[in-house]
Amino acid sequence: MQAKEIKDRLKSLIEQASSIDPNLARRLDEINRWVKNIKPGSLTAKPFVLAFLLEVITDSTIWLLIKSLPTQEEQKAKFEQMTPNERYWYGYLFPKWIDATDSKFYIWKQKLMAGEFNQVDDDIIKSIAQDIVSREGSFWQRYIADLSMATDLIVSSRQEKPLCIQVTSVSEEFNHQKYHYWKSTLNLWEIERGLFLSYSPKGADFINQLVNVALYNSDYLAGGKYLKFSRSFQ
C-alpha cells in the first residue's frame, strides 16, 4: 500500500468507525491529523511511520469487522477463529488502547516521525520469535504493544495462554528501575501477567535459554505474577 493509499484508507476508516466505534474514530482522527500534512514522498521516507500506520489500518479494519457483526454469538465465533495471540490482541489489548488515555502516545509518535525509534534488541527479538515458531509456539508483535504497553512479544505455547514479554540487554545492576517501570506499565494496562527477560549475549546458547523460559512461563506463570528473569549466559 502506497503512502497516498494509506492516507485515503485512514480517512475511510474514520468515517466507518464514527457510527460503529466513536472512540476508534477519535483515535484514528488523532493519527490522521498527525500525518495529513506530510507529503506522500516524505511519508514514504519514514518506514517506521508507514509500518505503524499499516498495523493500525489492519487492526482497525479487523476490529470494525467484528464490531459490525449483528450478534454477540457471531462476534464470539469470529474470535474463536483466531489464534490465541490474535484473540488476546483484538479481544482485549487493542480495544483497551482504543478506549484508554495513552499518555505515551504523544511521545512515541514524535520519535517515530523524527526517525528516533531505536530497536536496540530487534535482532535478538527476531531470533527469539523464530525459535518460538520452530518449537510450535506462536508470537505477536505490535508497535502499540511495544511502545505503550512495554511488550516486545506476546507469546503462546502448548496451553495457548498469551504472555506479554519484554526483552532487554540492560545489565543486572541497571535493570532494577526498568523492571519496576515495566511492571507498573503492565499494571496500568491491566495485563495480568508478564515476563521481563534481561540477557547478556555471551554464549552461543542464550537464545535457546530465553525461549525455554518464555515458553515455560507462557504455560505456567500464574495470573497476577510479573517475573523477572535476569542472567549472564556464560
Side-chain angles (χ1 to χ4, degrees):
M1 194 180 290
Q2 300 298 315
K4 186 179 185 307
E5 292 177 287
I6 288 173
K7 292 175 114 180
D8 290 344
R9 180 62 180 148
L10 199 54
K11 292 175 186 175
S12 173
L13 284 170
I14 292 168
E15 185 176 347
Q16 185 182 353
S18 63
S19 61
I20 299 171
D21 188 339
N23 284 343
L24 176 59
R26 283 191 288 271
R27 181 69 85 187
L28 292 176
D29 185 61
E30 180 183 5
I31 294 168
N32 181 56
R33 284 185 277 109
W34 175 52
V35 299
K36 71 177 182 179
N37 293 324
I38 301 173
K39 293 179 180 179
S42 299
L43 195 57
T44 301
K46 299 179 182 295
F48 291 123
V49 175
L50 282 180
F52 164 69
L53 292 173
L54 285 170
E55 279 189 359
V56 167
I57 286 170
T58 298
D59 289 343
S60 299
T61 301
I62 292 171
W63 177 245
L64 290 172
L65 174 65
I66 294 167
K67 291 281 283 184
S68 298
L69 294 171
T71 67
Q72 289 189 344
E73 288 76 16
E74 288 175 280
Q75 292 182 16
K76 182 180 178 182
K78 180 60 71 175
F79 280 122
E80 287 174 351
Q81 293 172 3
M82 297 179 178
T83 67
N85 292 337
E86 289 172 333
R87 193 157 49 242
Y88 184 52
W89 180 248
Y90 292 112
Y92 189 69
L93 290 181
F94 185 62
K96 268 191 174 297
W97 182 74
I98 292 170
D99 295 337
T101 300
D102 184 354
S103 61
K104 296 182 183 179
F105 192 34
Y106 175 75
I107 298 168
W108 63 257
K109 278 192 306 181
Q110 287 185 320
K111 288 186 175 182
L112 280 179
M113 191 62 73
E116 297 172 359
F117 180 56
N118 187 14
Q119 295 176 303
V120 176
D121 302 299
D122 191 45
D123 289 342
I124 299 300
I125 292 166
K126 285 179 180 176
S127 295
I128 290 171
Q130 289 169 359
D131 200 356
I132 285 169
V133 171
S134 74
R135 300 200 215 175
E136 299 184 350
S138 62
F139 72 93
W140 190 257
Q141 281 182 289
R142 280 296 186 265
Y143 283 96
I144 293 165
D146 180 5
L147 297 168
S148 288
M149 301 175 181
T151 296
D152 293 310
L153 291 170
I154 301 171
V155 172
S156 289
S157 189
R158 291 181 179 86
Q159 295 193 27
E160 301 188 338
K161 296 163 62 179
L163 176 65
C164 290
I165 293 176
Q166 176 148 96
V167 179
T168 181
S169 57
V170 177
S171 64
E172 175 66 29
E173 59 182 312
F174 296 115
N175 69 28
H176 188 70
Q177 182 176 356
K178 185 170 183 177
Y179 165 76
H180 284 285
Y181 178 73
W182 164 80
K183 184 178 176 181
S184 67
T185 299
L186 264 60
N187 279 320
L188 177 68
W189 288 99
E190 297 180 332
I191 296 170
E192 65 172 12
R193 61 192 196 129
L195 178 63
F196 183 92
L197 292 176
S198 177
Y199 70 92
S200 176
K202 295 183 178 180
D205 198 41
F206 81 97
I207 293 290
N208 179 62
Q209 296 183 56
L210 291 175
V211 173
N212 286 343
V213 173
L215 293 177
Y216 178 85
N217 283 284
S218 173
D219 281 341
Y220 298 113
L221 186 65
K225 298 292 184 181
Y226 305 94
L227 179 65
K228 177 182 177 183
F229 185 84
S230 181
R231 280 184 59 188
S232 294
F233 300 101
Q234 304 296 333

